[in-house]
Amino acid sequence: DAGVIQSPRHEVTEMGQEVTLRCKPISGHDYLFWYRQTMMRGLELLIYFNNNVPIDDSGMPEDRFSAKMPNASFSTLKIQPSEPRDSAVYFCASSLAETTYEQYFGPGTRLTVT
Amino acid sequence: AQTVTQSQPEMSVQEAETVTLSCTYDTSENNYYLFWYKQPPSRQMILVIRQEAYKQQNATENRFSVNFQKAAKSFSLKISDSQLGDTAMYFCAFTPIYSGAGSYQLTFGKGTKLSVIP
């Protein structure tokens, strides 16, 4: 299996622009998680899905952030408008219900907002 | 709310030696999982080892083993015969086991940066 795939690996954008991060989970996995990693706050869970349905989005920082999972093999995290404080590494992870407690991470997207 | 504390921001170890990374956690849950994840410079998060709270036996994976002390809420990682490829950030993580919203969420510590010196 190719593992969790994220794109792009790096994104540089200007403040105010819309940013879309993409994730393809491991085939057959039914849980998908979005995390943000910063030096100050470490790794934070933003939102997670089960069978394409958002279960808990309490970690989403504000209304500028939105996430969708239109099907079992694709999810997006969108920031509109982006701000410099959104600069971070964003990880997507997936897991299988029977082994839910083991999450497999993608390589992350490093976002820089100038 | 659960918290995970890693009190050692940085550590170093000579190649082939043994090193122990510390982790403590706070929870009111009785059933949970604990994990150690490794993040090398490539940034990829890699699961190193997992421990179920209801198992008294400490988990081991090749050169990696844990010392799980449930009463003390302590979960340390021992790396034996350290190798240069072990150089990475190591994160301790916790997830409660129960149904409903809030389950399956990993809470991470701030990490320990381990350097293996040749």
Side-chain angles (χ1 to χ4, degrees), chain B residues 61-73:
Chain B
E61 286 288 344
N62 301 313
R63 298 182 295 107
F64 298 87
S65 62
V66 299
N67 183 4
F68 173 50
Q69 302 289 329
K70 190 173 183 180
K73 296 181 180 175

Side-chain angles (χ1 to χ4, degrees), chain A residues 6-19:
Chain A
Q6 289 186 248
S7 64
R9 291 295 306 275
H10 304 274
E11 177 79 32
V12 180
T13 190
E14 292 184 348
M15 183 174 62
Q17 297 298 305
E18 178 179 293
V19 175

Side-chain angles (χ1 to χ4, degrees), chain B residues 46-115:
Chain B
I46 302 165
L47 178 63
V48 174
I49 200 166
R50 179 185 80 170
Q51 174 79 42
E52 292 91 336
Y54 57 85
K55 288 187 177 179
Q56 293 187 343
Q57 186 173 6
N58 289 324
T60 62
E61 286 288 344
N62 301 313
R63 298 182 295 107
F64 298 87
S65 62
V66 299
N67 183 4
F68 173 50
Q69 302 289 329
K70 190 173 183 180
K73 296 181 180 175
S74 170
F75 183 60
S76 61
L77 175 69
K78 185 171 81 171
I79 306 174
S80 304
D81 185 24
S82 297
Q83 301 176 0
L84 296 179
D86 296 333
T87 293
M89 283 289 288
Y90 286 81
F91 293 94
C92 179
F94 167 100
T95 188
I97 303 173
Y98 55 79
S99 60
S103 59
Y104 315 134
Q105 292 189 24
L106 281 173
T107 300
F108 287 89
K110 291 297 176 78
T112 296
K113 184 177 180 181
L114 177 67
S115 299

Side-chain angles (χ1 to χ4, degrees), chain A residues 20-75:
Chain A
T20 300
L21 311 181
R22 297 172 176 81
C23 175
K24 176 179 169 56
I26 293 172
S27 178
H29 281 192
D30 50 2
Y31 280 83
L32 184 139
F33 305 82
W34 281 101
Y35 291 89
R36 179 172 67 176
Q37 185 179 32
T38 61
M39 289 293 293
M40 291 297 295
R41 300 175 67 89
L43 273 155
E44 303 172 282
L45 176 67
L46 300 178
I47 185 172
Y48 77 92
F49 296 82
N50 177 219
N51 291 323
N52 314 337
V53 176
I55 302 300
D56 189 340
D57 65 354
S58 59
M60 296 286 262
E62 48 197 276
D63 292 344
R64 298 183 298 105
F65 286 70
S66 63
K68 294 182 179 180
M69 192 166 185
N71 56 63
S73 59
F74 184 66
S75 177

Side-chain angles (χ1 to χ4, degrees), chain A residues 31 48 56 101 103 105 108, chain B residues 35 37 43-44 103-105:
Chain A
Y31 280 83
Y48 77 92
D56 189 340
Y101 304 103
Q103 297 182 17
F105 283 74
Chain B
F35 304 90
Y37 277 86
R43 204 171 67 205
Q44 180 76 49
S103 59
Y104 315 134
Q105 292 189 24

